[in-house]
Every structure is written in structure tokens, then in C-alpha cells.
Amino acid sequence: MKWFILLSLLVHFFAVSFVAEAHVGSSGVIVQKQVGKYQLLISIKPPDVVPGTAQVTVFVEAGRVSSIGARPIYFRSGDKGAPTHDMLTRVGANRYEGDLWLMASGSSSVELSIDGPDGKQQVVVPVMALATALRDMPEGTGFGLAAMGLLLVVMLITIIGASNADGIVKPNQAPPAKLGRRRLVGMSVGLIAIVLILTGWRSWWNSTAKDYRNEQLYRPTPIHTSVRIADAQRQLTIQFDTTGFGVNRRKRRTLSYVLPDHGKLMHAFLVRIPGLDAFAHLHPNRRDTLNYEATLPPMPGGKYLLYADVVYQSGFAETITDTVDVPSLKVSSVAANAKPSDRDDSWLITEPMGVKVAAVNVPHLDNDMAVCGKPGASVKLADGSTMLWMDKPSQVLEAGKLYALKFAVADAQGKATPLEPYLGMGGHAAILRSDGSVYIHLHPIGTYSMAAEGSLVKRIADTARIFHYTEAVHFRDSIDAYITKLKTLPENEKNQLLAVSMPGMSHQMKTNNMVVFPYAFPRAGQYRIWVQVKRNGRILTGVFDTQVNESLL
């Protein structure tokens, strides 16, 4: 009964949170990039109400910088329709800050122009300009504005009445007998006019507010997720729900224009609740425009949270979510020898979140081991090697504080072992809050999609004032042919092709056995972190738990 109540509350909160949070609780963008001689750590916090201001912070970790300018560029209007750069303010030896207005919803980016003795460079950071919140006026401000408005109305009516009466009085003449009546008539006419104006204004305001709630306020694309058993295998189907596309333009998605990110059209993460003890990183195949399918690995049955990442040609990156019931399946020879539908699929079954501290080689909160003299944690991987969380600043982390999450791998003898590229990068990480309200798919370069960056960079280089899509079927078929080609290539050739198609995804680690992810936990709570690397041709997943408290500042 307790489990059922917990699950019901979780599913309810999970469903509600997506209406309020466009990126499942992690709306900010964090980027760590090497451009020329400059090493930059960039944080952009977009507004939750549009129009609104995005907060831009740039840490210069290496290089001599004299000035940094920033400007928003929307995909549709491109470089030709973008404003000039606003200069960021230097607030420290290596820190620059500023605010940028995002005036409309849609796929956008922030272009940074860096200038200094080490040369001129430009960086493009994808930012989703989305209205994700409703803001109520503070009660005190409302009363104050109402009092001032009433005063202005009274003064305006008085002025209208006076102008209608006193204006006919000539100098050095006695006022007419009907002067008071004219003043009263003028005030009455003025009152009626003001009431009509205010009534029309209120109607416009209510209509605008309704449009904001129903049209502009972002809601993730709905999907229907199901699991069926076919040939002794469980097949996951993710179907886009296009209901409402025809009557609400803001609900529409260019589903034929999905771009591959790291060579995959969709990255789907499955996590079993409530214990978060089963995890899968899958790459469903596109059956048609609306349907994606994947063969489930040998995971236990139960209820799972699903997070699926997709990127559209406009650079708009979206996480679509659902819950799905996975039926239990008896182990058979067919099931035991089944191959995943994608060779880059991976999964892990581990201990439930929050096991006791005395447990050995399993994830748990408040681990007190030391790594190189600093707090850390370690976990055994499937091939006998060990993954270590290095340089953890303390046992309990703080919400809103920027961290470099650093993980290293040592072989069975405790020696550093080199890592291989996994989907073109040094590693991947997925972070989930225990109630499912915060989710992020992390890369060493940051929290944004490399496909979105590539699309926006190409759009900025385009001289067209307005972007026009190519024919949908042709675009979709060309992407499917590209994906098919990637699947047939050896691993080295595939990674080389990915590197050529997305130069921005190159992010070399200084130590070949280590992967680092920049991230700031948005809320306090308990978090589980899955870190995925590749070694000797095998995808390995390490899992860590940590506690995050509210910031002390």
C-alpha cells in the first residue's frame, strides 16, 4: 500500500511538473568550450516568461580577454534579423555578466563575440526561448497601482468636466448660470468614455492572457508509449500524438525534420520507479514519422519513467516524457540470445536508491570514502574495472552552484585505463532527481545538444532573411539513409564521420581515463547519476547517488 501511494504521488507530481518546466527542471544552459586560445565556461539562464531577459555569465578559464559581446539570434530570422551585440560587464578578474532580451518564443541562440590579445572568436550557444510560467502581480503592487489608477481616472474626469465648462468663461465676465450643469455633463461624458475604454482594454487584456496560457505557454509534445511482446521479445513503441496540431500552431512540431544527435534520431532513457534501480539508454529506430521502436533489453518488469530527447532542424531541442508499464518476461533461450535493436543501447540493473552506508560497491548517499584526499565515491563496473567520482567538494552539494562532475576509470589492478569514444564523445551522463521532477542528459561539453548547435551555426552562416524548409519527405529520407550508413560503419569510422558532421562535439579530455561534466543542480533533493563510458568496445555504466541541499547564500 505504501508503494502504491508513493507511486501515485510520484506519477501525479511527474505529470504536473512537465507543464511548468520545459526541460524537466533543468532549463538553464551550461557550456564549457575551447575556442582558439580561450577556455570558456558559459552559463545562460533563459527567462521563464517571454518576452524576458536571459542572464548570461561567462567565466574565462584560459586566455586574455578584453571584452565579450552577446546578442540573441533566432533560427527563423537568422543573422540578418538579429540585433547588435550588447557588451557584458566585467565583474571579476575572469567573470563577465549581462542580461539579454528574448522578445519572442522559439528556437534561438546566444552568440558571444570574444575579443582580446589572443584574437577574436565567436561562440554560438543554443537557447530555447520558451514561456514556461505564469507570473502573478504581488498583492501590494496591485493595490498601489489600483489606487494610482483610480486617482488618475478621477483627475481625468475632473479635467474633462472643467474643460467643457470653464472653457466658455470669458475674461472679466461673470460665469454663465448653466456653468455647473456643463461641468457635470462634461464629467459624465468623460466617465462614460473612460469606462468604455477601460472595458475594451480589460477585454483585450483577458484575451491576451488567455492566448498566453493556451497558446504561448510551452507544453512538451504528448506521446503514447507502450510495450508489446513479439517473438519472445518486448518491443517499446513511442508514438507522437499530433492531436491539436491543426488548430494550434504553437503545438505543432516539424516531426519530419528531426535531426540526428550523436548519430541517433532519439535518445530514450528508461528508469524504473520508485527505486530507480533499473536504467536503460536506448536509441529507438524510426518506423515512420510518428512512430519509433526499440527492443527492450533484459530488464525487470515494472513501471518506468521515460525521457526521450529529440532535436528538430530549427535547433529546437525537446525532452518528451511519459510513464510506461513494462511486463515481466520469463528468461528463455530466445530472450537470452536477443540482440538490442541498436548496438549502442546500454542498460544497468543495480541497487535501489538510498541503500545503507555499510553496503559495499553499490551506490548510496553520504559515502565517506576519500579519493586522492578528497571526498568521493567509487563503484565496480561490469568488466571488473572501477569508476571513481573524483574531486567531490563535499558530501552534500548545493543547489544552483556550478560543479565540474569528474569521473575516472581504473582497471582491476587500480591503474588508469584509457576510455574510447561513446557516440563520438568521451562519455555521457544522465541525472535524475528521486521524484523524477529533474532530468538532464549531460555531455562533457555541457547541457545542450550538439545537433542544435550545428543547426543554428549553419543558419547564422546563411544569408537568407527568412528560413524555408526543404521538401519534408526528401529531408526525412536523406536523414534515414545517413543513419543507416552510420550503423554499417566500423566504430572508428563512425566516430570520425560524427566528428566531421558536428565539429562542436569535439571535447578532448586532458586525462584519457577521465570524463568531466559541468552542471548545476537546479533544486535541492536526492539525485542519482548514471555515468556512461566505453572501454575495450564495451559500454560501461557507473551509478552514484548524492544529496543536494538549498544554497547557503
Side-chain angles (χ1 to χ4, degrees):
M1 179 61 68
K2 291 182 179 180
W3 187 89
F4 178 80
I5 294 174
L6 173 63
L7 182 57
S8 300
L9 291 174
L10 175 57
V11 171
H12 172 74
F13 182 84
F14 185 68
V16 171
S17 69
F18 296 142
V19 177
E21 301 284 357
H23 297 284
V24 199
S26 296
S27 59
V29 181
I30 298 172
V31 180
Q32 187 175 46
K33 254 196 169 185
Q34 181 79 37
V35 285
K37 296 183 179 180
Y38 302 115
Q39 176 74 25
L40 305 175
L41 182 60
I42 305 163
S43 173
I44 300 177
K45 297 180 179 179
D48 57 6
V49 175
V50 179
T53 56
Q55 301 175 5
V56 182
T57 303
V58 180
F59 297 91
V60 181
E61 299 178 318
R64 296 169 295 169
V65 173
S66 299
S67 63
I68 300 179
R71 64 171 179 160
I73 303 179
Y74 281 79
F75 181 85
R76 180 168 177 78
S77 56
D79 178 68
K80 299 299 181 181
T84 58
H85 289 84
D86 291 334
M87 302 311 296
L88 302 185
T89 302
R90 188 169 187 166
V91 295
N94 65 338
R95 180 172 178 171
Y96 293 78
E97 292 182 350
D99 293 335
L100 284 182
W101 275 97
L102 298 180
M103 300 303 298
S105 298
S107 177
S108 66
S109 61
V110 171
E111 181 188 71
L112 299 175
S113 179
I114 301 98
D115 195 3
D118 288 328
K120 294 183 178 181
Q121 296 289 341
Q122 288 187 332
V123 178
V124 176
V125 181
V127 176
M128 301 301 108
L130 299 172
T132 61
L134 293 169
R135 290 280 177 250
D136 294 326
M137 181 180 295
E139 187 174 340
T141 303
F143 282 123
L145 291 176
M148 289 170 44
L150 180 61
L151 177 62
L152 289 175
V153 168
V154 172
M155 293 174 62
L156 182 58
I157 292 174
T158 304
I159 292 172
I160 293 173
S163 63
N164 186 59
D166 298 347
I168 66 172
V169 179
K170 298 181 179 179
N172 302 321
Q173 289 187 1
K178 298 182 179 180
L179 183 65
R181 181 182 296 177
R182 288 182 62 91
R183 182 180 291 113
L184 183 60
V185 170
M187 294 174 65
S188 300
V189 172
L191 177 61
I192 293 173
I194 291 174
V195 169
L196 291 175
I197 291 172
L198 292 178
T199 300
W201 174 85
R202 179 177 176 80
S203 176
W204 169 84
W205 179 265
N206 289 338
S207 175
T208 302
K210 182 179 179 180
D211 177 74
Y212 180 87
R213 288 193 304 270
N214 298 334
E215 303 289 336
Q216 297 187 45
L217 197 63
Y218 169 81
R219 291 177 177 83
T221 304
I223 56 174
H224 299 298
T225 310
S226 60
V227 176
R228 61 183 177 85
I229 299 177
D231 298 328
Q233 297 297 314
R234 294 170 298 184
Q235 298 293 326
L236 171 70
T237 299
I238 300 174
Q239 182 182 48
F240 286 90
D241 182 358
T242 58
T243 304
F245 276 30
V247 295
N248 188 331
R249 63 184 180 86
R250 292 191 180 274
K251 287 184 178 180
R252 299 175 193 168
R253 298 291 189 273
T254 52
L255 299 177
S256 293
Y257 297 90
V258 175
L259 287 178
D261 194 16
H262 307 290
K264 309 296 180 183
L265 286 175
M266 178 182 290
H267 294 261
F269 293 85
L270 284 168
V271 182
R272 190 169 74 158
I273 53 178
L276 311 188
D277 55 345
F279 165 88
H281 178 184
L282 309 178
H283 308 97
N285 297 314
R286 178 160 61 182
R287 191 179 69 189
D288 53 47
T289 303
L290 300 182
N291 293 278
Y292 290 72
E293 292 182 339
T295 300
L296 288 182
M299 301 170 64
K303 184 173 286 292
Y304 283 76
L305 304 179
L306 179 138
Y307 304 85
D309 299 329
V310 292
V311 183
Y312 305 97
Q313 189 184 10
S314 64
F316 188 86
E318 184 174 38
T319 297
I320 49 182
T321 59
D322 201 3
T323 58
V324 58
D325 290 308
V326 175
S328 298
L329 188 65
K330 294 182 179 180
V331 178
S332 65
S333 59
V334 177
N337 297 322
K339 293 182 179 180
S341 50
D342 191 290
R343 67 183 182 183
D344 292 311
D345 287 356
S346 55
W347 60 94
L348 179 71
I349 303 171
T350 185
E351 297 291 331
M353 188 174 186
V355 298
K356 299 299 182 181
V357 175
V360 178
N361 289 329
V362 293
H364 52 278
L365 295 170
D366 303 325
N367 196 332
D368 59 358
M369 72 166 290
V371 178
C372 300
K374 296 183 179 181
S378 68
V379 63
K380 286 289 186 183
L381 301 179
D383 68 344
S385 60
T386 300
M387 181 178 288
L388 302 94
W389 185 349
M390 309 288 290
D391 294 346
K392 187 177 180 183
S394 63
Q395 294 300 332
V396 178
L397 306 182
E398 293 182 26
K401 188 174 181 179
L402 188 58
Y403 292 104
L405 307 179
K406 185 183 300 184
F407 301 91
V409 178
D411 61 18
Q413 288 72 42
K415 297 181 180 180
T417 180
L419 301 177
E420 302 163 5
Y422 174 37
L423 297 176
M425 303 204 74
H428 294 251
I431 298 179
L432 188 65
R433 195 171 184 264
S434 59
D435 62 357
S437 63
V438 175
Y439 155 83
I440 189 72
H441 178 190
L442 276 176
H443 308 112
I445 202 169
T447 63
Y448 72 99
S449 160
M450 261 42 70
E453 179 192 25
S455 182
L456 287 161
V457 168
K458 290 179 182 178
R459 178 66 184 105
I460 293 172
D462 187 2
T463 58
R465 178 63 176 80
I466 300 296
F467 180 81
H468 297 284
Y469 285 96
T470 58
E471 202 273 326
V473 175
H474 175 74
F475 182 88
R476 185 189 62 204
D477 290 346
S478 65
I479 293 297
D480 286 342
Y482 171 74
I483 297 296
T484 301
K485 178 181 178 180
L486 283 177
K487 290 184 177 182
T488 62
L489 292 177
E491 192 68 16
N492 289 339
E493 293 184 25
K494 181 184 73 173
N495 287 323
Q496 290 175 5
L497 186 58
L498 289 175
V500 170
S501 63
M502 293 184 183
M505 84 164 43
S506 177
H507 191 79
Q508 297 296 326
M509 295 291 103
K510 295 181 180 180
T511 306
N512 63 0
N513 77 314
M514 189 175 296
V515 61
V516 182
F517 305 96
Y519 186 60
F521 294 89
R523 298 173 54 199
Q526 295 181 358
Y527 287 81
R528 173 154 281 192
I529 305 172
W530 291 271
V531 181
Q532 297 195 287
V533 296
K534 199 167 188 179
R535 177 174 178 261
N536 296 328
R538 185 175 181 181
I539 303 168
L540 304 171
T541 303
V543 57
F544 301 87
D545 292 337
T546 192
Q547 177 73 34
V548 177
N549 287 351
E550 294 292 350
S551 175
L552 300 177
L553 299 179

